[in-house]
Amino acid sequence: MYLFRNYLLVFNILIFFQVSIFANNRDSILVIGKVSNNPQKHYSYLKPMLNYAVSHMKDLGIKKGKVLMARDNNQMIQYLQEGKIDWITESIFSALIYQQTTNAELLVRKWKKHSPNYYTIFISKKGNDINQLTDLKGRKIVLEDPGSSTAFYVPLMEMINAGLTLEFLHSVEKKPSGNNVGYIFANSEINIATWVFKGLVDAGAYNNEDWKKVDHTPVVFRKKLNIFHKSDTLPRSIEVVRNDLPDPIKKRLKSILLNIENDPSARNVLFAYQKTKKFDEINEDINNELNRARIVLNKVHENLNSL
Amino acid sequence: MTMIIQCLKKINKLIFLILIPSLVQANSDLKPLLEVLKENETISSEQFEKIVDAVDNNDKNNLGIPAQINTKKNDEKELLIKIDNGLKISTYDGSANFSVGGRMMIDTAYYSDDKQPIGDGTEFRRARIEFNGKMYEVWSYQLDVEFGGGSADAKEVFLSYDGFTNKRIKIGQNKAPFSLEELTSSKHTTFMENALPNVFAIGRRVGILYESYQENWTFAAGFFGESFDNDVSKEGDESWGLSGRTTFTPVSEDTKVLHFGASLNYFDQEDNSEVRFRSRPESHVTDTRYLDTGKIKDVEKQYSYGLEFAAVLGPFSFQTEYINTHLERKIGGADDLDFFGYYMYGSWFITGESRAYKSKSGKFDRVKPLNEFGAIELALRYSMVDLTNGSVTGGETDQYTFGLNWYIKPNIKIMGNYVRVDNDINADEDGGVIGDDDPNIWQMRFQLDF
């Protein structure tokens, strides 16, 4: 019996150490991620920034970095809830959804592709008599997908604010009833421009950068298209951290990101990180933009749920 | 009677449960009906809640909003499988991926003879299968096997360490960093064959290569031996060398590019002291190589340099290169030799596309048509090379090529080239054919890559 008790004690100690080691392993790893349909490409964006951050957190016990991408916002929320991810780089509405669903913290604004902010534009084909949002009554508009900030949430909000009634269409052949505005998803920016150009829909909405990018709006299309409405600006991208990430790590990460532009050795890192110019503190102006976006998010969801 | 009612209730329940999914899909306004079914005990309270949840979530789907149901399928090692350009499989943590691709190029050529006949015909210019992938986050590999010549031939075969930011180290066989046109993939060249100065390109060699890039420049340098398929029966030390290339791209936008590049190459011939430069007339169906220096003996060292310039402005582009090669002969042997060549060409996408440039590697990339019927490109090239110097009379050729390309899809292309050849008297395949032969060449390529 004595021998058995000793074995039990040793076993318990081993279990304890194993659990401790396992727990320490997770605590010593910083995990970055984003929603992705191309993990191979996005891995090369995220890894250099992750390595840079990890190299500046050694004294906090961070020994390793890991990339983890989610297929959609639902999976990302689950990762946040389970503590599997620490740091996310995403567009504004995804960031707000993570904040609302998991109390995730919005850390800093990212100047993705050198831009501090962007906005939604509404396009139509020249000569089809659409000059303002109310001209969309009884017509069809194409958006990107239900996770898009500037090609879903903002355009819906702009249309709701203009007093329009929205109706989701399952296919491009369907028509909205009465004076409703029928919206449909194209799943890519190039499809938005193409569908408008070809007259499959009456209008489309995406962001000002999509308009300039020939991959998204070919020059030959642009000449035949017309911008008839613009939204207010929004922060280009937000860095988010999980709510229960230890404070010293949160603070250090924030400090690393805010100071990275002053480190000449980090130029490669910023370039790889979606051509980011710098990060800045969420100040009053950005907070105002975020508050506007929160209203958009809630109002859009409210309106959709009440339809 | 009670038994019959019970039985009917059970059948009713069974039918209803079978039909629930389709009912949910067909009509979301089921709540009143569900209430009735719950009241008469056709369904339990638990079943009622489940169906209502399903209906609510389906309502959201009808609005285009993804249902906020937390699925338990959250495996971090879940695979993403894509079949767009070939088969691509990757993990969601980005630590591993694998892809299979390939390219097929089927050529046909008609030679309008001048002094001597050249055989018209067809060939598989390239029939290649390509495997590449990544393991353990930082280790990548590539294995390309070419079957176009009738036998298997290894092309790119290397492993690579990618653990540094914006740089990597490759070990194996790959193209030595020299010349813009040589480094641009054969899938993305404007003309069917590279210009004549490509005769000086180093090509694929076994060695170690370092590559790096910044926002507007690239640098690559390597230490190389000979190629994978060199004659292993030959005794003696292999030749070895160093090769480097740098590019500077002050402008690199979607439709505007300004590219400058320079390459240097040094080769020590060691025990392989024979060098031979020879070239077909920008057409590969024929085996006639008008330009041929024959075997140049007693070569000790080989130095080459190349200068590159390219510009893209909307649908227009211009590209030019100059390459010079110097052969240092053994002391007491024959004189040193210098050969050179250059080309220049312009292209115009009449359908509005722009040539795509890859700033991370300083070379051109895939053109994506903007229209359903594809993209049409017109191009005109002048190229020359002079392989006559000192006692070596390899010949000189000037060639003019008109190209018409139809990019049916990003991965499918038809190319047509008309080549006007102007050989000098020494361009005689080292005595194998008559010099000063000036044929015209009409050739086409059907190309698909995946």
Side-chain angles (χ1 to χ4, degrees):
Chain A
M1 192 62 189
Y2 178 75
L3 199 66
F4 175 74
R5 265 206 314 234
N6 275 353
Y7 276 131
L8 198 65
L9 183 67
V10 170
F11 179 74
N12 282 339
I13 290 168
L14 283 175
I15 293 283
F16 173 77
F17 272 108
Q18 203 178 341
V19 169
S20 307
I21 289 162
F22 186 76
N24 281 340
N25 270 345
R26 175 61 187 96
D27 288 348
S28 65
I29 300 171
L30 184 69
V31 186
I32 190 173
K34 76 186 299 309
V35 171
S36 171
N37 60 4
N38 191 346
Q40 192 179 339
K41 185 173 92 178
H42 291 136
Y43 179 88
S44 64
Y45 294 173
L46 304 180
K47 194 68 165 74
M49 178 59 85
L50 177 67
N51 288 346
Y52 182 81
V54 167
S55 71
H56 288 75
M57 288 185 178
K58 293 247 154 70
D59 58 314
L60 298 177
I62 299 294
K63 293 172 187 160
K64 218 180 134 186
K66 187 184 160 191
V67 175
L68 177 60
M69 279 164 278
R71 62 176 181 275
D72 53 30
N73 272 343
N74 285 338
Q75 194 176 38
M76 188 58 90
I77 289 165
Q78 201 167 334
Y79 285 157
L80 280 166
Q81 285 166 340
E82 292 169 355
K84 283 184 176 173
I85 204 148
D86 302 317
W87 167 22
I88 302 162
T89 183
E90 267 302 343
S91 62
I92 179 169
F93 285 97
S94 293
L96 291 175
I97 288 169
Y98 305 151
Q99 189 186 41
Q100 289 187 354
T101 51
T102 71
N103 282 330
E105 195 176 313
L106 310 186
L107 201 66
V108 290
R109 174 174 70 171
K110 171 182 171 188
W111 286 48
K112 184 179 166 183
K113 293 178 185 168
H114 280 226
S115 297
N117 43 41
Y118 62 167
Y119 53 88
T120 294
I121 58 165
F122 286 75
I123 57 167
S124 67
K125 204 164 179 185
K126 280 178 183 167
N128 72 353
D129 290 335
I130 297 179
N131 303 311
Q132 54 194 348
L133 290 175
T134 47
D135 293 337
L136 290 173
K137 280 180 185 170
R139 293 175 146 172
K140 290 186 280 189
I141 185 166
V142 60
L143 307 175
E144 190 181 356
D145 63 57
S148 171
S149 292
T150 50
F152 177 67
Y153 284 104
V154 176
L156 252 61
M157 178 66 181
E158 294 287 312
M159 290 190 283
I160 291 163
N161 281 346
L164 299 171
T165 307
L166 307 172
E167 181 182 336
F168 176 65
L169 304 176
H170 285 280
S171 81
V172 74
E173 287 84 23
K174 295 259 165 71
K175 286 183 178 171
S177 43
N179 274 340
N180 288 356
V181 181
Y183 67 92
I184 188 157
F185 297 121
N187 293 315
S188 74
E189 297 88 349
I190 179 70
N191 282 352
I192 293 175
T194 308
W195 290 14
V196 177
F197 178 77
K198 289 190 172 174
L200 296 173
V201 291
D202 303 291
Y206 50 18
N207 71 55
N208 55 312
E209 288 173 16
D210 296 323
W211 173 256
K212 285 183 203 154
K213 212 168 155 48
V214 286
D215 277 7
H216 297 172
T217 314
V219 181
V220 280
F221 288 11
R222 211 183 293 155
K223 285 176 188 165
K224 306 267 174 168
L225 300 175
N226 169 46
I227 298 173
F228 66 92
H229 184 77
K230 291 178 185 176
S231 75
D232 289 336
T233 59
L234 291 168
R236 183 66 183 84
S237 186
I238 299 284
E239 302 297 289
V240 182
V241 288
R242 76 177 152 92
N243 177 42
D244 48 354
L245 188 70
D247 270 346
I249 295 174
K250 260 186 220 173
K251 281 181 188 157
R252 178 68 60 83
L253 181 59
K254 188 172 179 175
S255 156
I256 291 167
L257 295 176
L258 291 175
N259 292 306
I260 193 169
E261 60 172 316
N262 303 318
D263 181 357
S265 71
R267 281 194 62 199
N268 289 348
V269 175
L270 281 170
F271 179 67
Y273 202 56
Q274 298 174 297
K275 295 178 185 168
T276 298
K277 188 179 179 189
K278 62 176 190 169
F279 299 89
D280 45 26
E281 193 102 41
I282 298 182
N283 58 24
E284 205 184 323
D285 289 342
I286 300 173
N287 243 327
N288 289 337
E289 287 182 327
L290 286 169
N291 284 334
R292 272 210 315 270
R294 271 188 200 99
I295 294 167
V296 172
L297 181 69
N298 295 332
K299 199 163 178 182
V300 166
H301 279 169
E302 220 174 79
N303 269 270
L304 291 173
N305 288 331
S306 69
L307 283 177
Chain B
M1 189 62 187
T2 319
M3 247 180 83
I4 293 168
I5 289 169
Q6 285 295 329
C7 207
L8 281 172
K9 266 190 177 180
K10 278 188 179 171
I11 291 167
N12 189 19
K13 190 174 170 179
L14 189 67
I15 291 169
F16 184 74
L17 289 173
I18 291 167
L19 288 176
I20 279 172
S22 52
L23 285 169
V24 165
Q25 289 296 324
N27 184 5
S28 62
D29 195 17
L30 285 170
K31 281 186 190 168
L33 173 63
L34 292 168
E35 295 278 0
V36 172
L37 290 167
K38 193 178 93 175
E39 274 169 24
N40 69 17
E41 295 176 358
T42 304
I43 57 172
S44 68
S45 299
E46 196 186 330
Q47 285 166 338
F48 172 80
E49 294 301 331
K50 273 187 184 171
I51 298 162
V52 168
D53 276 353
V55 170
D56 283 345
N57 284 311
N58 197 59
D59 270 349
K60 286 183 181 175
N61 280 334
N62 282 335
L63 297 168
I65 302 276
Q68 298 289 317
I69 304 169
N70 275 350
T71 57
K72 284 292 166 196
K73 195 185 171 191
N74 69 338
D75 183 5
E76 292 164 40
K77 290 288 176 190
E78 192 185 332
L79 293 177
L80 178 74
I81 301 172
K82 280 174 138 184
I83 304 177
D84 41 12
N85 299 326
L87 172 68
K88 290 178 181 165
I89 304 168
S90 60
T91 56
Y92 266 98
D93 64 0
S95 65
N97 59 60
F98 173 72
S99 68
V100 182
R103 67 186 79 177
M104 289 182 287
M105 296 176 191
I106 304 149
D107 286 8
T108 180
Y110 165 75
Y111 300 97
S112 171
D113 303 330
D114 178 25
K115 290 194 169 59
Q116 62 226 318
I118 312 175
D120 307 332
T122 57
E123 69 166 352
F124 274 101
R125 179 67 176 92
R126 290 180 184 88
R128 196 175 298 177
I129 188 98
E130 301 160 357
F131 305 92
N132 63 67
K134 184 166 78 165
M135 306 187 284
Y136 308 114
E137 296 194 27
V138 292
W139 294 96
S140 303
Y141 57 90
Q142 185 160 343
L143 170 62
D144 298 354
V145 185
E146 173 67 53
F147 300 97
S151 59
D153 183 18
K155 292 291 178 186
E156 304 281 312
V157 183
F158 63 82
L159 61 92
S160 150
Y161 178 76
D162 303 342
F164 309 112
T165 303
N166 296 2
K167 38 183 101 73
R168 67 173 174 170
I169 294 170
K170 288 165 149 183
I171 298 172
Q173 174 164 288
N174 48 72
K175 283 182 181 174
F178 193 89
S179 166
L180 170 62
E181 198 174 37
E182 168 69 8
L183 293 173
T184 297
S185 167
S186 61
K187 294 183 288 191
H188 312 315
T189 51
T190 305
F191 296 91
M192 286 172 62
E193 297 298 332
N194 285 343
L196 293 166
N198 192 252
V199 69
F200 304 122
I202 315 302
R204 291 184 177 84
R205 303 266 181 153
V206 179
I208 181 163
L209 176 65
Y210 167 84
E211 292 176 331
S212 69
Y213 67 90
Q214 289 277 3
E215 197 166 348
N216 52 12
W217 62 262
T218 69
F219 175 76
F223 175 82
F224 297 93
E226 291 179 4
S227 66
F228 194 72
D229 56 0
N230 74 318
D231 188 357
V232 288
S233 63
K234 247 187 201 173
E235 284 302 329
D237 293 336
E238 272 186 26
S239 62
W240 61 271
L242 301 163
S243 193
R245 175 177 182 253
T246 187
T247 66
F248 172 59
T249 318
V251 180
S252 177
E253 297 170 13
D254 288 335
T255 57
K256 285 181 200 162
V257 176
L258 202 55
H259 162 105
F260 299 91
S263 313
L264 278 174
N265 172 254
Y266 163 78
F267 254 88
D268 190 316
Q269 294 301 128
E270 291 284 354
D271 293 329
N272 181 18
S273 60
E274 285 180 356
V275 171
R276 183 179 195 179
F277 294 112
R278 55 184 186 154
S279 175
R280 293 180 175 89
E282 293 178 2
S283 175
H284 198 271
V285 172
T286 178
D287 210 29
T288 304
R289 292 168 166 96
Y290 291 108
L291 294 168
D292 190 347
T293 59
K295 288 177 179 171
I296 304 171
K297 296 184 188 301
D298 297 327
V299 177
E300 200 164 35
K301 292 178 172 62
Q302 182 181 334
Y303 302 90
S304 303
Y305 70 88
L307 299 170
E308 311 161 9
F309 172 76
V312 175
L313 185 62
F316 302 101
S317 79
F318 177 78
Q319 181 174 322
T320 183
E321 280 189 82
Y322 173 86
I323 300 177
N324 182 294
T325 288
H326 175 81
L327 300 181
E328 195 176 294
R329 315 285 285 275
K330 285 178 180 164
I331 297 164
D335 294 340
D336 291 355
L337 297 167
D338 280 287
F339 304 115
F340 73 97
Y342 60 91
Y343 73 85
M344 58 183 81
Y345 75 78
S347 95
W348 172 40
F349 278 94
I350 57 176
T351 42
E353 290 79 0
S354 293
R355 285 183 76 198
Y357 182 78
K358 219 174 179 176
S359 60
K360 288 179 184 176
S361 49
K363 60 189 182 187
F364 283 95
D365 204 30
R366 186 184 303 282
V367 170
K368 291 178 186 163
L370 299 175
N371 305 295
E372 241 173 41
F373 58 85
I376 305 283
E377 181 185 30
L378 301 176
L380 193 61
R381 177 170 74 187
Y382 166 73
S383 70
M384 72 80 65
V385 75
D386 186 357
L387 295 183
T388 299
N389 189 237
S391 56
V392 175
T393 52
E396 184 193 331
T397 297
D398 299 84
Q399 289 187 195
Y400 304 86
T401 306
F402 170 73
L404 172 63
N405 298 325
W406 179 20
Y407 300 78
I408 300 169
K409 296 284 175 196
N411 305 58
I412 303 174
K413 177 160 87 165
I414 296 179
M415 306 174 84
N417 283 182
Y418 163 72
V419 188
R420 175 87 183 89
V421 181
D422 183 8
N423 286 320
D424 78 351
I425 192 72
N426 293 319
D428 59 358
E429 203 178 55
D430 197 26
V433 296
I434 306 163
D436 200 20
D437 187 14
D438 301 330
N440 293 321
I441 304 167
W442 304 83
Q443 54 186 358
M444 275 186 87
R445 170 172 296 167
F446 299 87
Q447 175 182 325
L448 182 145
D449 69 271
F450 57 95

